[in-house]
Amino acid sequence: MSNIERNIELLSLSGLQQEASASRWGGHVHMLKTVESTQEEAKRLAENGAPEGTTVIAEEQTGGRGRQGKKWHSPFGKGIWMSVVLRPRLPLLSTPQLTLMAGVAVCRAIRRVSGVDVGIKWPNDLLAGDRKICGILLESSCSENELAYCIAGIGISVNLKEEDYPDFLNGVGTSLLIERGGVSVDRSVLAGAVLTELDSLYDFYMDHGFSPVARLWEAMSVTLGRQVARNTPHGRMEGLATGLDDNGSLLLMDRAGQIHSVSSGEIELI
């Protein structure tokens, strides 16, 4: 055991499963120490027929990534770096809705376990204040325009200290420990809570559709009612974030009162 491991409470499969006892998914967990990417490992398992709810969680990722190929900082024993296999019988166009559903589930779990008042920035970042505490990456495989499977990648900065962040993330990222004034969070309990909330909300979405999930998302949003900006091939676009459309795209109202639908890309809160 390394010096790093001696000073860190490692993830506990039994602790995770105890918290996720109400979830169907707690029995399909692959807990690893170090992996290049939980997302790639979950994809490999999905391609080999892994059942829905199969979860890969690691103490450390050496090649973790976020949206648009950005590197995700995943130090050993400090966060929750996990990917979950979903097998919804839905058209490919439903992927953005699943992303927002996952954001609501993770936000609920973090609030319940840590007490930190995190909110959702469209489409898939969780913030405390204006600093990023969690990212969600949903990647899909399809067959004839229907989803074969989705991998929901979830990265939560749990017990990182300020000095754990590289220079390029100073002032940008934060953690639950920082937001709690130095009080750590049991990562196993939080991981189990994420699985429980994700399982429950996923069933709710499949039974009732996107509309009630969208209302939940809007209630947790830190985007709506704010001015946001987005860089496009035609220049910078700014507008007031007013809501979601039926597909999960963000609706922006520009200064002329025209409504624009944003379906992809990054936005900036201004």
Side-chain angles (χ1 to χ4, degrees):
M1 182 179 291
S2 69
N3 289 333
I4 293 177
E5 292 180 45
R6 289 192 189 97
N7 296 326
I8 290 175
E9 184 176 350
L10 299 179
L11 289 163
S12 161
L13 182 59
S14 61
L16 181 154
Q17 290 176 329
Q18 182 176 353
E19 180 64 28
S21 59
S23 168
R24 298 164 299 165
W25 297 351
H28 301 287
V29 179
H30 299 254
M31 192 168 284
L32 308 172
K33 279 196 174 180
T34 299
V35 68
E36 182 175 350
S37 165
T38 61
Q39 199 77 347
E40 295 304 317
E41 184 65 17
K43 281 185 185 178
R44 184 185 66 78
L45 292 170
E47 290 287 349
N48 289 319
E52 187 165 71
T54 296
T55 300
V56 178
I57 183 168
E59 293 286 359
E60 175 186 38
Q61 293 182 114
T62 58
R65 54 187 172 82
R67 296 178 72 242
Q68 301 179 329
K70 294 180 180 178
K71 184 176 180 180
W72 186 262
H73 184 54
S74 316
F76 188 94
K78 298 284 188 172
I80 292 174
W81 327 123
M82 66 190 295
S83 296
V84 183
V85 177
L86 306 177
R87 295 191 180 276
R89 294 182 178 178
L90 293 170
L92 180 61
L93 293 175
S94 299
T95 303
Q97 298 179 357
L98 289 167
T99 298
L100 299 181
M101 179 276 298
V104 173
V106 177
C107 190
R108 279 179 159 184
I110 291 176
R111 287 181 176 186
R112 173 162 63 85
V113 172
S114 73
V116 176
D117 187 25
V118 296
I120 310 172
K121 174 192 169 190
W122 186 91
N124 58 356
D125 288 343
L126 270 60
L127 308 183
D130 281 339
R131 296 173 71 180
K132 186 170 178 176
I133 210 162
C134 171
I136 298 168
L137 174 65
L138 206 84
E139 296 181 309
S140 304
S141 174
C142 66
S143 175
E144 298 181 353
N145 292 322
E146 186 172 279
L147 291 169
Y149 64 81
C150 296
I151 308 296
I154 300 163
I156 308 173
S157 299
V158 182
N159 291 328
L160 284 81
K161 300 177 181 178
E162 294 282 3
E163 58 265 29
D164 291 321
Y165 287 94
D167 290 343
F168 71 92
L169 288 177
N170 285 340
V172 176
T174 187
S175 72
L176 296 177
L177 179 143
I178 292 169
E179 297 301 316
R180 284 160 53 96
V183 179
S184 64
V185 172
D186 188 315
R187 293 181 301 131
S188 302
V189 170
L190 180 55
V194 168
L195 287 181
T196 298
E197 295 287 354
L198 188 58
D199 182 13
S200 174
L201 198 61
Y202 178 72
D203 279 350
F204 181 76
Y205 166 72
M206 295 299 290
D207 289 342
H208 301 285
F210 179 62
S211 181
V213 174
R215 303 294 83 78
L216 293 172
W217 185 94
E218 289 172 345
M220 296 180 171
S221 170
V222 296
T223 304
L224 300 187
R226 291 185 64 169
Q227 291 288 327
V228 304
R230 176 175 178 257
N231 293 321
T232 77
H234 308 290
R236 184 176 171 90
M237 180 176 73
E238 296 184 3
L240 178 69
T242 61
L244 300 173
D245 70 12
D246 292 342
N247 296 316
S249 297
L250 183 66
L251 299 176
L252 298 184
M253 182 172 66
D254 65 21
R255 292 180 180 177
Q258 183 177 354
I259 300 295
H260 303 266
S261 179
V262 178
S263 60
S264 61
E266 297 288 335
I267 63 165
E268 174 190 352
L269 302 177
I270 57 177

